[in-house]
């Protein structure tokens, strides 16, 4: 046996001595544990004076407790322990030289804690255990209930968020005159009152388990006279805000935790936010009183403080530091284990894959009759057995930090037992691009009874049915799968596998669309949008690659996106983006750099089998006009020789301009080698300009009409934006705007209860608002009506339509016939 297995076997023999699991319920935050009783541990004579004493638990914030104990009495003058090992439910959670440890607990599960004093000489470990129960912790009381507006009998309420108890806050329950009037997921509510009378209103937090916390201070509200009474106390100080209170932590994981605190009292100016510090370093400033803190390291302790900041830039004193210790979650174990090829002397075991929560999965520890056998680095293992014996096998996943998962369901192996016959007539029906149903004829048992049929896909078990069919789901389209089936009898024997049945999933429905659209490789939402509307899209431009100063290609392919699109016959031409004038000039005018750039582009196109490439060079000087045309011509020749396509981006223009940003493009000349010319028909207003429509209709129409005069007109695609810009303080270089997608713009309008205005001249929607800091904003964007008008003009000119970019645009645009919709 290797040194590793000897140490591991010793560790598991120690774990096997642990007393079974105890209940650790929820508790009040940082309240001491109420012990139901302690187990009196009868220590053998060798452990006299060597067992930890006075074990107790103290509840901490979130699902954690502090387990503490006193050192052994040391009767007889024996040596002090080398360390203390803590086990929870029989599993080691840590080792320390101190007499306390912070340990994670799960509500409503019975748990036993064992503390082992570890010694260099026998006895190697002397253990003590304890039982405890913790009281339930409800959501905290709602504070700062206030009336925002009263309009007739409609009252707008808001309040501070409730601190979570054992479970996350699901919402808030609004009670009017003792009866529930509604429930809200947000810290606000529109409440209906009656004319001519006052109503008593309270709000309480409700967690995801349906438990309701205590109601906060109520308000007596009359629709005509306003708030008649309140328990809230006004703050009259002219200084800064008070320190936030009750900083708590919950939902601690390997890499994050949720912080919450009670709001500060306002001083001479209104509170505009809270600053969160980690190890004295500012992390962020937010307006809410809770924060999910991510990107933490596993098994690490941080010091967290929070302070309030007001509109006069006064910052409160920070809260007392809160020690936040992240946990490490053991790996997820295999969900199904199987035995096959059982003979008198051996058996082949296989199991589904486990998954590491953090770190990496390094193997599987195989157990025979409860004793560790060996670590296996695959999902199968052949074991040597004795004849005429009964065995029980299980397997646990092992991660790189030394943690073991819970065991897989065990499999029983009985040697010298003839297995049932192999199922016959295996076939597949209802095969689609993502699923198939397999069925077979029943097996005949030799002894015992048939209890089920185990189905394998590419040699890995996917499930077991008592019937003679199974639906296979979550398959990839256009893919071959080898399916086999074995019968399992009541004595644990498994029949020989059927001959593999090759199941080939169907090809997905191909696109019939002609729209050209950009896909942002930096966001999953852009891919989700492609999946939702792919049948209307003919060419997709993923933003994978950028140029480097020496002509090299920066970026990487996303095989999920590219393969998914090409499987549906969508042409994939990744965007090659280069907008640095110095780099562009070198690529276009320096022969070695130009050749290196073209070679690099061809390499990525061929490596990923793209349908072609799109070139997006912008901001080069007018002098690079002819070199750019020569570059496009040479690249097109290389691509066409490989039966691949070239798309060239040009900026908007209303005549053959010879100066400025658009002068580098000779549209007529570029249309000869290019397969597509994508015209960026927007940019009349941009983030650092004054507010206005990005593609004002009169200007946009001039660009489209000029483009229609080009030779090879059918190659031209008129591009349109699907987003908007929010400009503060009138915009300009000192007040740059923020690009927003349609969903975000609609949320903004709803937040300020605004109805957008349609500008007939620009043919674009817009609105204005004043934010909480008193700053005026102008928002211009595109919607279905905007796009429809432009699509009608594009169709009349006989050119294609293009979109920047797929994401959370106005989804009703996909109903437009100009984009291949049904109208």
């Amino acid at each position: 046996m290797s040194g590793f297995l000897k140490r591991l076997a010793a560790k598991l023999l120690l774990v096997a001595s642990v007393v079974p699991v105890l209940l650790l319920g929820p508790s009040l935050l940082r309240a001491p544990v109420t012990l139901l009783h302690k187990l009196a541990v009868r220590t053998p004579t060798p452990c006299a004076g060597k067992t930890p004493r006075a074990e107790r638990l103290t509840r901490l914030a979130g699902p954690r407790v502090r387990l503490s104990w006193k050192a052994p009495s040391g009767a007889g003058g024996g040596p002090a322990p080398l360390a203390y090992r803590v086990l929870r439910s029989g599993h080691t959670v840590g080792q320390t030289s101190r007499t306390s440890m912070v340990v994670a607990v799960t509500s409503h599960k019975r748990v036993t804690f064992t503390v082992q004093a570890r010694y260099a000489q026998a006895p190697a470990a002397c253990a003590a255990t304890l039982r405890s129960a913790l009281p339930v912790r409800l959501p905290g009381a709602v504070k700062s209930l206030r009336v925002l507006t009263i309009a007739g009998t409609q009252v707008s309420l808001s309040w501070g968020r409730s601190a979570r108890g054992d479970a996350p806050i699901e919402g808030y329950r609004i009670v009017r005159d003792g009866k529930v009037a509604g429930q809200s997921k947000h810290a606000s509510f529109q409440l209906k009152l009656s004319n001519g009378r006052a109503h008593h209103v309270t709000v309480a937090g409700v967690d995801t388990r349906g438990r309701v916390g205590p109601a906060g201070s109520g308000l007596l509200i009359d629709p005509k006279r306003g708030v008649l009474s309140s328990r809230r106390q006004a703050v009259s100080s002219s200084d800064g805000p008070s320190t936030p209170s009750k900083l708590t932590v919950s939902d601690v994981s390997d890499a994050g935790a949720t912080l919450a605190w009670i709001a500060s009292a306002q001083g001479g100016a209104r509170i505009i936010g809270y600053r969160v510090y980690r190890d004295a370093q500012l992390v962020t400033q937010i307006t809410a009183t809770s924060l999910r803190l991510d990107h933490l390291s596993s098994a690490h302790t941080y010091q967290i403080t929070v302070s309030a900041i007001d509109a006069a830039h006064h910052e409160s004193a920070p809260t007392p530091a809160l020690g936040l210790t992240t946990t490490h979650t053991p790996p997820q174990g295999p969900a199904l284990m199987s035995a096959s090829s059982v003979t008198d002397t051996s058996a082949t075991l296989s199991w589904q894959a486990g998954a590491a929560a953090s770190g990496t999965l390094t193997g599987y520890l195989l157990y025979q009759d409860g004793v560790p056998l060996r670590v296996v680095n695959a999902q199968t293992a052949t074991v040597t057995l004795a004849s005429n014996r009964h065995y029980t096998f299980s397997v646990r996943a092992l991660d790189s930090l030394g943690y073991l998962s819970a065991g897989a369901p065990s499999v029983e192996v009985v040697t010298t037992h003839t297995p049932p016959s192999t199922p016959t007539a295996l076939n597949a029906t209802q095969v689609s691009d993502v699923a198939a149903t397999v069925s077979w004829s029943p097996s005949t048992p030799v002894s015992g009874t048939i209890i089920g049929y185990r189905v394998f896909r590419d040699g890995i078990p996917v499930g077991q049915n008592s019937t003679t069919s199974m639906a296979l789901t979550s398959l990839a389209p256009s893919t071959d799968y080898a399916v086999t089936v074995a019968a399992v009898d009541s004595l644990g024997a498994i029949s020989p596998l059927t001959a593999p049945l090759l199941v080939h999933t169907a090809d997905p429905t191909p696109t019939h669309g002609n729209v050209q659209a950009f896909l942002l490789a930096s966001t999953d939402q852009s891919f989700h949008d492609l999946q939702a509307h792919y049948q209307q899209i003919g060419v997709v431009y993923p933003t994978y690659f950028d140029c480097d100063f020496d002509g090299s290609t920066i970026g990487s392919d996303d095989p999920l996106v590219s393969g998914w699109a090409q499987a549906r016959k969508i042409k994939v031409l990744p965007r090659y983006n280069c907008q640095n004038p110095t780099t562009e000039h070198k690529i276009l005018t320096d022969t070695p750099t130009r050749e290196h750039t073209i070679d690099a582009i061809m390499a990525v196109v061929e490596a990923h089998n793209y349908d072609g490439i799109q070139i997006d060079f912008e901001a080069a000087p007018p002098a690079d006009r002819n070199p750019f045309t020569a570059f496009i011509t040479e690249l097109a020749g290389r691509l066409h020789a490989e039966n691949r396509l070239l798309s060239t981006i040009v900026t908007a223009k209303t005549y053959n301009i010879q100066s400025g940003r658009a002068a580098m493009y000779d549209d007529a000349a570029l249309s000869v080698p290019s397969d597509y010319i994508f015209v960026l028909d927007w940019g009349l207003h941009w983030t650092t300009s004054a507010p206005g429509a990005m593609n004002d209709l009169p200007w946009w129409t001039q660009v489209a009409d000029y483009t229609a005069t080009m030779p090879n007109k059918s190659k031209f695609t008129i591009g349109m934006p699907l987003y908007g810009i929010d400009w503060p303080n009138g915009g300009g270089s000192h007040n740059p705007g923020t690009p927003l997608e349609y969903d975000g713009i609609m949320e903004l309008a709803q937040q300020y209860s605004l109805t957008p205005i349609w500008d007939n001249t620009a043919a674009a929607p817009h609105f204005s608002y004043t934010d909480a800091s008193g700053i005026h904003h102008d928002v211009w964007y595109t919607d279905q009506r905007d796009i429809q008008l432009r699509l009608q003009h594009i169709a009349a000119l006989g050119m294609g339509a293009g979109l920047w970019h797929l994401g959370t645009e106005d989804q009703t645009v996909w109903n437009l016939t100009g984009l291949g919709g049904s109208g």
Side-chain angles (χ1 to χ4, degrees), residues 43 45-51 71-76 79 119:
T43 307
T45 301
C47 283
K50 295 185 177 183
T51 303
S73 62
Y119 295 94

Side-chain angles (χ1 to χ4, degrees), residues 245-267:
S245 59
K246 302 294 184 184
L247 176 59
T248 61
V249 63
S250 61
D251 298 330
V252 181
S253 69
D254 291 10
T258 298
L259 304 174
W261 55 90
I262 294 177
S264 300
Q266 179 176 308

Side-chain angles (χ1 to χ4, degrees), residues 349-428:
L349 307 173
S350 61
W351 50 87
Q352 290 179 312
S358 58
T360 57
L361 201 66
T362 59
Y364 301 88
L365 183 58
L366 180 64
Y367 291 79
Q368 177 179 308
D369 297 329
V371 177
L373 191 62
R374 64 177 183 266
V375 173
V376 181
N377 293 321
Q379 288 177 242
T380 63
T382 299
V383 290
T384 301
L385 307 174
S387 62
N388 196 25
R389 288 282 300 274
H390 178 280
Y391 298 90
T392 301
F393 291 94
S394 64
V395 68
R396 299 170 70 180
L398 175 66
D399 72 14
S400 56
L401 296 180
Y403 282 71
L404 284 169
S405 71
S410 61
V411 61
E412 306 293 325
V413 176
V414 179
T415 55
T416 68
H417 171 68
T418 305
S421 65
T422 302
T424 59
L426 179 61
N427 69 95

